[in-house]
């Protein structure tokens, strides 16, 4: 199917899109395995594919998009942002605080429980990732006609 032909509906989060799927308001949805995984496991939803490089431990029987024959790999990431112009000391303090939280057993348990990948980055490495992601996503959205 040509992606331009898809009627894309944006939802504010996985819960809202899950309700639309379970309520038969939409034919398909995209969200994280933490949102959709329990319903896939219960048989209320059919898992088509996961977009990560490897199968998810949340829905291990669902193939990757690559396994399904398409050269597409996408991960869902979250980031902590701060105001521009913060001092170097404040930036380093914030990075240290986030690193400390990342290194806890509780965070490791949350990663496992939710099937999240640990792609932790900070500082300049994270800034470079954000710039590359913006370029990549803009290119894809332009190609499929969602933006110009």
């Amino acid at each position: 199917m040509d992606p331009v032909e898809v009627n894309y509906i944006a939802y504010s989060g996985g819960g809202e899109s899950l309700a639309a799927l379970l309520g038969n308001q939409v034919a398909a949805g995209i969200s994280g395995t933490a949102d959709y995984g329990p319903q896939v496991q219960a048989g209320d939803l059919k898992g088509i594919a996961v977009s990560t490089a490897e199968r998810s431990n949340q829905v291990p029987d669902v193939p990757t998009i690559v396994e399904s024959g398409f050269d597409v790999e996408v991960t869902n990431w979250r980031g902590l942002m701060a105001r521009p112009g913060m001092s170097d000391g404040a930036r380093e303090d914030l990075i240290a605080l986030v690193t400390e939280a990342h290194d806890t057993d509780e965070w490791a348990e949350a990663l496992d429980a939710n099937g999240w990948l640990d792609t932790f980055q900070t500082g300049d490495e994270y800034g470079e990732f954000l710039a590359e992601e913006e370029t990549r996503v803009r290119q894809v959205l332009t190609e499929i006609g969602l933006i110009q």
Side-chain angles (χ1 to χ4, degrees):
M1 166 182 273
D2 184 343
V4 174
E5 296 177 22
V6 174
N7 180 22
Y8 176 76
I9 302 169
Y11 290 101
S12 64
E16 190 177 335
S17 67
L18 177 61
L21 270 171
L22 294 175
N24 293 319
Q25 297 169 345
V26 296
I30 299 171
S31 191
T33 56
D35 296 322
Y36 288 2
Q39 287 73 28
V40 170
Q41 292 170 342
D44 296 326
L45 293 178
K46 168 75 173 150
I48 305 296
V50 294
S51 62
T52 50
E54 297 180 10
R55 290 186 182 207
S56 167
N57 66 353
Q58 297 288 85
V59 285
D61 294 334
V62 178
T64 67
I65 292 174
V66 172
E67 286 178 292
S68 300
F70 300 93
D71 187 20
V72 176
E73 182 183 320
V74 180
T75 56
N76 187 14
W77 54 268
R78 298 287 189 263
L80 175 64
M81 311 300 173
R83 63 178 169 75
M86 73 185 320
S87 71
D88 289 344
R91 181 177 186 255
E92 291 306 316
D93 288 348
L94 184 56
I95 289 172
L97 179 68
V98 171
T99 301
E100 183 179 327
H102 168 265
D103 294 343
T104 63
D105 290 340
E106 292 84 0
W107 181 247
E109 291 167 9
L111 289 171
D112 185 56
N114 291 295
W116 297 334
L117 300 176
D118 189 1
T119 58
F120 185 67
Q121 298 175 347
T122 63
D124 292 338
E125 177 186 26
Y126 180 54
E128 291 170 15
F129 167 78
L130 289 176
E132 291 169 4
E133 265 304 86
E134 181 177 3
T135 299
R136 185 185 68 78
V137 170
R138 181 171 300 281
Q139 179 181 351
V140 170
L141 294 177
T142 301
E143 286 176 11
I144 64 174
L146 286 179
I147 63 172
Q148 293 190 28

